[in-house]
Every structure is written in C-alpha cells, then in structure tokens.
Amino acid sequence: MNRTVATTAAFAVAALLSAGVTPSTAAAPVQVFVAGDSTASTYVSSLAPRAGWGQALPVFLTSGAKVVNAALSGASSKSFVDLGRLDGIVSRLKPGDYLLISFGHNDEKKEDPARYTEPSTTYKSYLSQYIDRSRAKGAKPVLVTSVERRRFSSTGTITPTHGAYPAAMRELAAAKKVPLVDLTASSTALFNRAGVEGTKKYFLHLKAGQSPNYPNGVEDNTHFQGSGAIEVARLVATALRDQRVLSSGSFRRLNDQIPASAIVWPTSSQ
C-alpha cells in the first residue's frame, strides 16, 4: 500500500471512530424480518425436508441483508399479534430494516375465533398494526399475499383457495402505499407451469421410506419440501429486487439452480 492510500484509509477509520462507529459495525447488514405462518416458518432437522419460504430466503440474499424469520406455524395476523410475536419483532427493528408480512392461511378459519379475521375489516386492521408499528421504528413494511395451495381443478389448473384475503391485502397495500409482493399470483403461475405431477416435488409429497423423518410417507398440499421452499423464496426475492424494495446488491443466485441442501435446518427451535 502506498503512502497516499494508507493515509486516506487511516483518516477514514479515524472519522468512523470519532463518530462512535467502529469499522466492523459500519457495514452492519440490514435485517429482513419475516412475520408469517407455517408456509414461511423455519423447521428443525427432525422435520426435514419440510421447509418454509422464509427459511429458504437467505439463499438469495447477500451478506448485506440478514433474514430474521419469525414466522410461526398456525399463526394468523390476529394470533401473531395476540401472542406477542409482533411486539418481539418491533423491539428488534432498527431504522432501515424490513418487515415482510404474510398472513391469510389461518385467518380463514372461521371455526377458530382466536385466529379468524374478516377480510375487509379485522384482517386489514391487524395488518395495519404491522405496517404502522414498523414504520414508527423507521423500518420498511412489505405486504406478501399468501402462497397458493396445491389444489388443481378437473382441467389441471390451480384453484384459488384464499377467498377474499389476497384482494384485501392488495387494497390495503394501495391505500397505505406499502410495497406488495403478490405471491398468490406468482405462485399460482409457478404451480400451473409445473402441473399436477410436477408440483409434487415442491410440496411435501414423500413416498413411504423416502425420508427417515416420514417413514410412512406424506401427502401435504399446503407445506413445502426444500425444493419448493427455494422456488417460492425465489419468487419473493425476485419481486423485492424487481420493485427495488431492497438494493440490487442485496441479491444473489436468483437465476441459479439451487439444491435443497442449501437450506439450513436447525437442530432445535430458536
């Protein structure tokens, strides 16, 4: 290193230190929180290859963005708040962070008053809490409509299963000027391209003996195995890039073939 470069570097470090910022913290990654349900949540190794799209999202982000996946299996927009999960996220949010908000699967359950919300009223009201409280912390909320289920019509096309909830979220995003990832639409297109048989590799469809964690096999048309979680996470990440919600430098490998082994399954719940 020549004298001029060395002197410039020294002055830069001195400026950071005088401002109370160390070089190691100057480039701290932005946090991308995920508030959602079982389709997004992280699963432990004893449940692999089951995985959520929030668990797979880090595959597509660089070291400049860190995913904090707070999604909870069985949660609705209402129960997540009532359980204090939103409080926990808000307490950790910093200016410039992001909050991805994706609920709907369990908001639909009229038989369960602890989770049910009505699309045009209470659903929007609860979602508004996530938006308003994250903005109050200087963070940036992003609404994500529910990923579609694997339910095909007799003609071999995906049948919508989320009723009025995706439209309600779209309306709220427009009203409150919040970025929207229309995962309902993009996942429907993805599953239609893959078809009835092709989607089995995305969802948790395993034959008996195929996985030690599911010795009798499983046929789950709502939750994903690793490859499906990766493809749905790719949809989310691509939308965030295309809408310039995060900087283009936050993303990687969006056009690469990603093996399921790229996902991390923790040995215990966080």
Side-chain angles (χ1 to χ4, degrees):
M1 180 182 294
N2 63 43
R3 185 182 300 276
T4 300
V5 173
T7 301
T8 301
F11 275 120
V13 172
L16 288 170
L17 293 173
S18 66
V21 180
T22 65
S24 62
T25 60
V30 66
Q31 298 182 106
V32 181
F33 287 84
V34 179
D37 53 40
S38 59
T39 60
S41 60
T42 295
Y43 294 92
V44 295
S45 55
S46 61
L47 295 175
R50 179 168 170 169
W53 62 259
Q55 184 175 4
L57 190 58
V59 171
F60 297 107
L61 297 181
T62 65
S63 59
K66 175 186 177 183
V67 175
V68 183
N69 190 12
L72 177 67
S73 292
S76 71
S77 64
K78 178 183 187 298
S79 68
F80 196 92
V81 170
D82 293 346
L83 290 169
R85 303 280 290 197
L86 178 57
D87 290 338
I89 291 174
V90 170
S91 70
R92 300 173 63 185
L93 283 173
K94 302 191 302 293
D97 285 344
Y98 295 83
L99 175 58
L100 308 186
I101 308 155
S102 186
F103 294 98
H105 278 81
N106 299 301
D107 288 76
E108 304 167 7
K109 297 183 176 179
K110 289 185 178 182
E111 72 280 4
D112 186 353
R115 293 188 285 182
Y116 175 67
T117 62
E118 196 280 326
S120 63
T121 56
T122 47
Y123 181 57
K124 289 184 177 180
S125 177
Y126 275 101
L127 291 178
S128 293
Q129 292 189 43
Y130 296 77
I131 295 167
D132 297 343
R133 295 185 65 188
S134 59
R135 280 176 166 170
K137 291 295 292 285
K140 303 172 184 179
V142 180
L143 290 170
V144 183
T145 61
S146 294
V147 62
E148 195 47 84
R149 298 181 175 94
R150 182 183 174 273
R151 184 175 300 174
F152 285 89
S153 69
S154 59
T155 60
T157 57
I158 287 289
T159 299
T161 65
H162 294 303
Y165 291 89
M169 184 177 279
R170 294 179 193 117
E171 291 169 0
L172 183 65
K176 296 185 78 71
K177 296 180 172 56
V178 178
L180 174 79
V181 174
D182 197 341
L183 189 56
T184 305
S186 60
S187 63
T188 295
L190 172 67
F191 301 154
N192 277 329
R193 289 194 299 270
V196 175
E197 291 302 314
T199 46
K200 290 180 179 179
K201 69 177 180 288
Y202 295 153
F203 287 83
L204 195 59
H205 274 240
L206 301 170
K207 296 178 181 179
Q210 189 174 344
S211 168
N213 290 335
Y214 302 88
N216 299 319
V218 61
E219 292 186 3
D220 185 334
N221 293 313
T222 297
H223 303 101
F224 309 109
Q225 55 180 302
S227 59
I230 286 171
E231 293 311 312
V232 174
R234 190 194 305 272
L235 296 175
V236 174
T238 299
L240 294 174
R241 181 202 62 183
D242 291 350
Q243 296 183 46
R244 299 181 180 179
V245 177
L246 278 75
S247 68
S248 59
S250 300
F251 302 98
R252 59 175 181 156
R253 306 176 73 183
L254 286 175
N255 297 313
D256 293 355
Q257 292 293 321
I258 309 293
S261 59
I263 295 176
V264 175
W265 280 272
T267 56
S268 60
S269 300
Q270 302 300 310

